[in-house]
Amino acid sequence: MAARPTRRFLRPLLYTTAAAALGGGILYISYRPRNIPGSNPAAVPPPTFGEDGTIAPPRFPHAKSRAEQIADLKRSAGVRQGSESKTGLLASIFGGSHEDVSPGVEEPYDLLVIGGGATGTGIALDAATRGLKVAVVERDDFSSGTSSKSTKLVHGGVRYLEKAVWELDYNQYKLVKEALRERKYFLDTAPHLSMWLPIMLPIQKWWQAPYFWMGTKAYDLLAGSEGIESSYFLTKSKALDAFPMLKRSNVVGALVYYDGAHNDSRMNVSLAMTAALYGSTVVNHIEVTGLEKDASGRLNGARVKDLVQEKNGKKPEEFTIRAKGIINATGPFTDSIRKMDDQKVDEIVAPSSGVHVILPGYYSPSNMGLIDPSTSDGRVIFFLPWQGNTIAGTTDAPTAISQNPIAGEEEINWILSEIRGYLAPDINVRRGDVLAAWSGIRPLVRDPKARNTESLVRNHLITVSDSGLLTCAGGKWTTYRQMAEESVDEAIKLYGLHPGPVVGAPRISGTEMIDDAAPLDGTCQTHQVRLIGAHGYSKTLFINLIQHFGVETDVAKHLTESYGDRAWTVAALSSPTEKRFPVRGIRVSQLYPFIDGEVRYAVRHEYAQTAVDVLARRTRLAFLNAQAALEALPMVIDLMAEELKWDSKRKSVEWKDTVQFLASMGLAKSKLNVTRQDVESGKAAEYDEHERKLYSRHDHPADTIESDSKFESGHNPVIGTDSPANK
């Protein structure tokens, strides 16, 4: 009998304790301290001021020059240094006289990677940090294709998780899980180029609240320790306070979850330069013209030519690169390389066009994005702050493959129409506010071994041809590292390669204070290898730049967020202004924080060879504002001409090629025939009738601007014409 009162007392106590433990666990998981990438002090602290008030900026290792890299490519086929005559090259390619060729001079590469996008440069870095000898060649520039035209997100994909649940699709689940893990590696290895971004999910009906809440919490749970801040609910008033541009009438609240954002082309260039520092041969503007095979039909090299020589008015020389294995990582152009290997092979790429538009920064808060999961046709639109502007997109439609696709007016107008649907009615979404627009080609792929060859794989695909061409296609930016790891793993088995420890790894940080990277023991370590610029980066580094170089605050922040600790070098390469302040850094465009030192740095340290390389991929001016890029073009060409010793003919080629490229960035058709003289005289900045009507440009100061009034001067609209006051 005595046990009953005890049980009656213990049972509620146990229930209460269990509930408290569960609630406490949930609270701890939701609000536990997080290690936010980029918020920690720099691994390498910035230099301090000495007693005499001076400072010694860090000194960083340099990669080989482009000319030295090309010489290395030639040596792989046994071409002697200094014996690279036209006759000798043709002999080495076509099997003629061997007077200029010494087969034993240099070993062939372990791997030759074709394609300098995210996947190709990721493979190069992975292979180099496993002790393999690797080369990567790119027909255009690093990130010139799809890799520079993304939505700028580093994300697992909330909508993919929704599909995984509703369709009971384990592959979709694996894709999200893998992407969430890679998201964390991404932000850890390049904290200066990536950041956590809260993204708002507006709730238009109350029944959506629990559905979206469960979805975002599942996303948090799936991220686990790779996550950051937990998602949270906002009431209507809080949602409108955080995102005041939203339409009030159809918002009852919002959920906010966290994903990553990044500067895609600068990330790609950093991958290439980090791979170069670890010993990879990395060369842009080298086109593959054919693949070489041995007597048994196995691939053993490629014929290439240097397109920079063509731009300089010379006949581009063709030479051979020898390699034990060849990896095709050319994105949308995958099938063109596969057909060099086998003309009869079935195509596997199903190209899809994704259009984005850039709007002024006032269209969105500077620190929060938005996702619209219910557009008029069921597609998803992101609306995100990026580089001081607002990016909106994307579309998803089949397209033809071209090198610089142009965003169509129909797609641009569709995006603007969807934006109008969820922004406040007093915000006039105008076509004239579009500063840039571009189309990126996403290389969706079909598995050639699948029974249904029409179905597209949701993840990436690695396939091998009979002659040994390894192709890696599909995937997305977030999972580039995983794609690279799997490709190198497959290549090691396929080609019988022998990875090993990296001896004498470079001190990329520029100091002996810390060991730069993970133990480079021959296994994949790219989840720990910091990219160039990451070691000395912190969120307060910009203050050191201001105090030492006297650059403007927005310029200093931009430099540290684009170059990390290499911002010291960029600032040092900037011209003095001869003003009291700013002391250094002449702006390329008065609208944006890009400065002259970035052009010099791009040429000297990042293999920039054309004005487009600088305007589109080293800085992002062409993506942010096509008209501003046009107006900056004369200065960029002159700075590059000074560095690369261009003559007047080459400068004319650069002008023509760049204006043609800017057409694919949304430059107005009326500006496509402008000359350099038009820009320098200010004629190119003149506006047409449509642009004139966007703003009140020429009215004199007045309580009511003349162009705003539809009534004649002296007429009182309150009093009718038949009023006694007018009689």
PDB file of all heavy atoms in Angstrom, residues 1-16:
ATOM      1  N   MET A   1       0.837  -1.210   0.000  1.00  0.00           N
ATOM      2  CA  MET A   1       0.000   0.000   0.000  1.00  0.00           C
ATOM      3  C   MET A   1       0.867   1.253   0.000  1.00  0.00           C
ATOM      4  O   MET A   1       0.502   2.267  -0.558  1.00  0.00           O
ATOM      5  CB  MET A   1      -0.910   0.009   1.240  1.00  0.00           C
ATOM      6  CG  MET A   1      -1.926  -1.121   1.235  1.00  0.00           C
ATOM      7  SD  MET A   1      -3.158  -0.966  -0.065  1.00  0.00           S
ATOM      8  CE  MET A   1      -4.042   0.460   0.510  1.00  0.00           C
ATOM      9  N   ALA A   2       2.025   1.134   0.656  1.00  0.00           N
ATOM     10  CA  ALA A   2       2.898   2.311   0.747  1.00  0.00           C
ATOM     11  C   ALA A   2       3.520   2.649  -0.603  1.00  0.00           C
ATOM     12  O   ALA A   2       3.959   3.761  -0.845  1.00  0.00           O
ATOM     13  CB  ALA A   2       3.995   2.064   1.779  1.00  0.00           C
ATOM     14  N   ALA A   3       3.533   1.606  -1.494  1.00  0.00           N
ATOM     15  CA  ALA A   3       4.175   1.853  -2.794  1.00  0.00           C
ATOM     16  C   ALA A   3       3.332   2.759  -3.676  1.00  0.00           C
ATOM     17  O   ALA A   3       3.847   3.460  -4.539  1.00  0.00           O
ATOM     18  CB  ALA A   3       4.419   0.529  -3.507  1.00  0.00           C
ATOM     19  N   ARG A   4       1.961   2.730  -3.496  1.00  0.00           N
ATOM     20  CA  ARG A   4       1.100   3.540  -4.358  1.00  0.00           C
ATOM     21  C   ARG A   4       1.361   5.031  -4.214  1.00  0.00           C
ATOM     22  O   ARG A   4       1.517   5.715  -5.234  1.00  0.00           O
ATOM     23  CB  ARG A   4      -0.364   3.237  -4.023  1.00  0.00           C
ATOM     24  CG  ARG A   4      -0.939   2.200  -4.934  1.00  0.00           C
ATOM     25  CD  ARG A   4      -2.395   2.008  -4.677  1.00  0.00           C
ATOM     26  NE  ARG A   4      -2.769   0.675  -5.100  1.00  0.00           N
ATOM     27  CZ  ARG A   4      -3.917   0.117  -4.783  1.00  0.00           C
ATOM     28  NH1 ARG A   4      -4.771   0.749  -4.018  1.00  0.00           N
ATOM     29  NH2 ARG A   4      -4.195  -1.095  -5.210  1.00  0.00           N
ATOM     30  N   PRO A   5       1.387   5.579  -2.991  1.00  0.00           N
ATOM     31  CA  PRO A   5       1.681   7.018  -2.872  1.00  0.00           C
ATOM     32  C   PRO A   5       3.046   7.357  -3.458  1.00  0.00           C
ATOM     33  O   PRO A   5       3.236   8.416  -4.053  1.00  0.00           O
ATOM     34  CB  PRO A   5       1.656   7.271  -1.367  1.00  0.00           C
ATOM     35  CG  PRO A   5       0.853   6.163  -0.807  1.00  0.00           C
ATOM     36  CD  PRO A   5       1.071   4.987  -1.693  1.00  0.00           C
ATOM     37  N   THR A   6       3.998   6.422  -3.309  1.00  0.00           N
ATOM     38  CA  THR A   6       5.345   6.686  -3.858  1.00  0.00           C
ATOM     39  C   THR A   6       5.279   6.758  -5.371  1.00  0.00           C
ATOM     40  O   THR A   6       5.862   7.650  -5.999  1.00  0.00           O
ATOM     41  CB  THR A   6       6.298   5.561  -3.433  1.00  0.00           C
ATOM     42  OG1 THR A   6       6.278   5.458  -2.012  1.00  0.00           O
ATOM     43  CG2 THR A   6       7.722   5.874  -3.898  1.00  0.00           C
ATOM     44  N   ARG A   7       4.514   5.756  -5.976  1.00  0.00           N
ATOM     45  CA  ARG A   7       4.366   5.779  -7.426  1.00  0.00           C
ATOM     46  C   ARG A   7       3.645   7.034  -7.893  1.00  0.00           C
ATOM     47  O   ARG A   7       3.986   7.620  -8.915  1.00  0.00           O
ATOM     48  CB  ARG A   7       3.574   4.544  -7.865  1.00  0.00           C
ATOM     49  CG  ARG A   7       4.477   3.441  -8.396  1.00  0.00           C
ATOM     50  CD  ARG A   7       3.676   2.369  -9.110  1.00  0.00           C
ATOM     51  NE  ARG A   7       3.981   1.066  -8.531  1.00  0.00           N
ATOM     52  CZ  ARG A   7       3.129   0.364  -7.832  1.00  0.00           C
ATOM     53  NH1 ARG A   7       1.929   0.801  -7.613  1.00  0.00           N
ATOM     54  NH2 ARG A   7       3.486  -0.805  -7.337  1.00  0.00           N
ATOM     55  N   ARG A   8       2.607   7.416  -7.143  1.00  0.00           N
ATOM     56  CA  ARG A   8       1.840   8.599  -7.496  1.00  0.00           C
ATOM     57  C   ARG A   8       2.709   9.849  -7.453  1.00  0.00           C
ATOM     58  O   ARG A   8       2.522  10.787  -8.208  1.00  0.00           O
ATOM     59  CB  ARG A   8       0.670   8.740  -6.503  1.00  0.00           C
ATOM     60  CG  ARG A   8      -0.385   9.713  -6.977  1.00  0.00           C
ATOM     61  CD  ARG A   8      -1.533   9.769  -5.995  1.00  0.00           C
ATOM     62  NE  ARG A   8      -2.170   8.468  -5.870  1.00  0.00           N
ATOM     63  CZ  ARG A   8      -2.722   8.014  -4.752  1.00  0.00           C
ATOM     64  NH1 ARG A   8      -2.668   8.719  -3.658  1.00  0.00           N
ATOM     65  NH2 ARG A   8      -3.289   6.820  -4.732  1.00  0.00           N
ATOM     66  N   PHE A   9       3.713   9.848  -6.613  1.00  0.00           N
ATOM     67  CA  PHE A   9       4.611  11.000  -6.493  1.00  0.00           C
ATOM     68  C   PHE A   9       5.724  10.940  -7.551  1.00  0.00           C
ATOM     69  O   PHE A   9       6.080  11.955  -8.155  1.00  0.00           O
ATOM     70  CB  PHE A   9       5.229  11.011  -5.084  1.00  0.00           C
ATOM     71  CG  PHE A   9       6.307  12.048  -4.923  1.00  0.00           C
ATOM     72  CD1 PHE A   9       5.995  13.390  -4.816  1.00  0.00           C
ATOM     73  CD2 PHE A   9       7.646  11.664  -4.901  1.00  0.00           C
ATOM     74  CE1 PHE A   9       6.995  14.340  -4.679  1.00  0.00           C
ATOM     75  CE2 PHE A   9       8.645  12.600  -4.770  1.00  0.00           C
ATOM     76  CZ  PHE A   9       8.320  13.940  -4.642  1.00  0.00           C
ATOM     77  N   LEU A  10       6.279   9.722  -7.803  1.00  0.00           N
ATOM     78  CA  LEU A  10       7.423   9.599  -8.713  1.00  0.00           C
ATOM     79  C   LEU A  10       7.036   9.780 -10.181  1.00  0.00           C
ATOM     80  O   LEU A  10       7.800  10.343 -10.965  1.00  0.00           O
ATOM     81  CB  LEU A  10       8.081   8.218  -8.538  1.00  0.00           C
ATOM     82  CG  LEU A  10       8.902   8.030  -7.260  1.00  0.00           C
ATOM     83  CD1 LEU A  10       9.412   6.609  -7.174  1.00  0.00           C
ATOM     84  CD2 LEU A  10      10.073   9.015  -7.244  1.00  0.00           C
ATOM     85  N   ARG A  11       5.834   9.268 -10.553  1.00  0.00           N
ATOM     86  CA  ARG A  11       5.470   9.337 -11.966  1.00  0.00           C
ATOM     87  C   ARG A  11       5.403  10.779 -12.490  1.00  0.00           C
ATOM     88  O   ARG A  11       6.021  11.092 -13.517  1.00  0.00           O
ATOM     89  CB  ARG A  11       4.128   8.616 -12.172  1.00  0.00           C
ATOM     90  CG  ARG A  11       3.798   8.402 -13.637  1.00  0.00           C
ATOM     91  CD  ARG A  11       2.566   7.534 -13.797  1.00  0.00           C
ATOM     92  NE  ARG A  11       2.798   6.186 -13.330  1.00  0.00           N
ATOM     93  CZ  ARG A  11       1.845   5.290 -13.115  1.00  0.00           C
ATOM     94  NH1 ARG A  11       0.582   5.629 -13.310  1.00  0.00           N
ATOM     95  NH2 ARG A  11       2.135   4.064 -12.702  1.00  0.00           N
ATOM     96  N   PRO A  12       4.687  11.699 -11.835  1.00  0.00           N
ATOM     97  CA  PRO A  12       4.700  13.098 -12.323  1.00  0.00           C
ATOM     98  C   PRO A  12       6.097  13.704 -12.303  1.00  0.00           C
ATOM     99  O   PRO A  12       6.453  14.489 -13.184  1.00  0.00           O
ATOM    100  CB  PRO A  12       3.776  13.830 -11.340  1.00  0.00           C
ATOM    101  CG  PRO A  12       2.940  12.771 -10.744  1.00  0.00           C
ATOM    102  CD  PRO A  12       3.777  11.526 -10.703  1.00  0.00           C
ATOM    103  N   LEU A  13       6.901  13.299 -11.307  1.00  0.00           N
ATOM    104  CA  LEU A  13       8.260  13.838 -11.228  1.00  0.00           C
ATOM    105  C   LEU A  13       9.091  13.383 -12.428  1.00  0.00           C
ATOM    106  O   LEU A  13       9.832  14.181 -13.031  1.00  0.00           O
ATOM    107  CB  LEU A  13       8.922  13.379  -9.924  1.00  0.00           C
ATOM    108  CG  LEU A  13      10.369  13.876  -9.698  1.00  0.00           C
ATOM    109  CD1 LEU A  13      10.400  15.387  -9.613  1.00  0.00           C
ATOM    110  CD2 LEU A  13      10.933  13.255  -8.421  1.00  0.00           C
ATOM    111  N   LEU A  14       8.951  12.092 -12.786  1.00  0.00           N
ATOM    112  CA  LEU A  14       9.686  11.583 -13.940  1.00  0.00           C
ATOM    113  C   LEU A  14       9.231  12.254 -15.226  1.00  0.00           C
ATOM    114  O   LEU A  14      10.044  12.620 -16.081  1.00  0.00           O
ATOM    115  CB  LEU A  14       9.511  10.068 -14.041  1.00  0.00           C
ATOM    116  CG  LEU A  14      10.246   9.231 -12.984  1.00  0.00           C
ATOM    117  CD1 LEU A  14       9.823   7.779 -13.068  1.00  0.00           C
ATOM    118  CD2 LEU A  14      11.756   9.356 -13.177  1.00  0.00           C
ATOM    119  N   TYR A  15       7.905  12.403 -15.398  1.00  0.00           N
ATOM    120  CA  TYR A  15       7.376  13.068 -16.588  1.00  0.00           C
ATOM    121  C   TYR A  15       7.883  14.500 -16.687  1.00  0.00           C
ATOM    122  O   TYR A  15       8.277  14.982 -17.753  1.00  0.00           O
ATOM    123  CB  TYR A  15       5.844  13.065 -16.567  1.00  0.00           C
ATOM    124  CG  TYR A  15       5.236  11.694 -16.797  1.00  0.00           C
ATOM    125  CD1 TYR A  15       3.928  11.413 -16.394  1.00  0.00           C
ATOM    126  CD2 TYR A  15       5.959  10.671 -17.418  1.00  0.00           C
ATOM    127  CE1 TYR A  15       3.358  10.173 -16.595  1.00  0.00           C
ATOM    128  CE2 TYR A  15       5.405   9.427 -17.614  1.00  0.00           C
ATOM    129  CZ  TYR A  15       4.110   9.172 -17.205  1.00  0.00           C
ATOM    130  OH  TYR A  15       3.549   7.941 -17.404  1.00  0.00           O
ATOM    131  N   THR A  16       7.861  15.196 -15.559  1.00  0.00           N
ATOM    132  CA  THR A  16       8.309  16.595 -15.541  1.00  0.00           C
ATOM    133  C   THR A  16       9.796  16.688 -15.875  1.00  0.00           C
ATOM    134  O   THR A  16      10.231  17.543 -16.651  1.00  0.00           O
ATOM    135  CB  THR A  16       8.054  17.220 -14.160  1.00  0.00           C
ATOM    136  OG1 THR A  16       6.664  17.092 -13.846  1.00  0.00           O
ATOM    137  CG2 THR A  16       8.457  18.686 -14.146  1.00  0.00           C
TER     138      THR A  16
END
